[in-house]
């Protein structure tokens, strides 16, 4: 009887002999990566198209409300500071500082 050669796989189950993740998944990893890259690229393009629309709308709403939009919050870095009535305020974490 000839000894079996062990299947060499990485920690994610990638089979180096056949170039696939598992026998149940016949799609080669490279093809899946290309497909995933196309999906991410399409999502990014949609986001890049919508971002200027949202920025313009936000500026108009702030102008109508008498509020200015400042720099990103130094404390939480999750929102821009709103400037009104001599105060800078972070709408996310509540940080305030007078100007």
């Amino acid at each position: 009887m000839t000894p079996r050669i062990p299947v060499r796989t990485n920690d994610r189950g990638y089979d180096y002999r056949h170039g696939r993740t598992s026998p149940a998944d016949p799609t080669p990893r490279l093809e899946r990566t290309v497909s995933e890259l196309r999906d991410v690229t399409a999502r990014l393009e949609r986001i890049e198209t919508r971002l200027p629309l949202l920025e313009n709308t936000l500026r108009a709403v702030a102008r109508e409300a008498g509020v200015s939009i400042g720099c990103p919050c130094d404390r939480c870095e999750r929102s821009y500071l709103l400037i009104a009535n001599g105060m800078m305020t972070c709408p996310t974490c509540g940080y305030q500082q007078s100007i």
Side-chain angles (χ1 to χ4, degrees):
M1 182 187 300
T2 60
R4 277 188 78 161
I5 299 172
V7 175
R8 294 188 44 161
T9 62
N10 66 8
D11 60 338
R12 295 186 184 132
Y14 183 83
D15 184 343
Y16 291 103
R17 291 180 306 165
H18 301 290
R20 58 179 78 139
T21 303
S22 69
D25 182 11
T27 307
R29 180 69 185 144
L30 181 59
E31 287 179 22
R32 284 189 11 206
T33 302
V34 170
S35 174
E36 291 167 358
L37 181 59
R38 278 192 210 115
D39 292 344
V40 169
T41 301
R43 286 177 40 213
L44 181 59
E45 287 172 354
R46 284 192 303 272
I47 290 168
E48 287 177 334
T49 301
R50 293 184 64 189
L51 186 59
L53 301 174
L54 291 170
E55 288 174 339
N56 291 336
T57 303
L58 180 60
R59 281 191 206 101
V61 169
R63 186 174 48 250
E64 289 293 318
V67 177
S68 297
I69 301 169
C71 61
C73 178
D74 287 337
R75 296 243 172 130
C76 71
E77 297 180 353
R78 294 183 296 161
S79 183
Y80 286 103
L81 295 174
L82 300 177
I83 303 168
N85 302 322
M87 294 292 292
M88 293 189 306
T89 306
C90 176
T92 303
C93 71
Y95 169 73
Q96 286 189 333
Q97 181 179 351
S98 63
I99 303 178

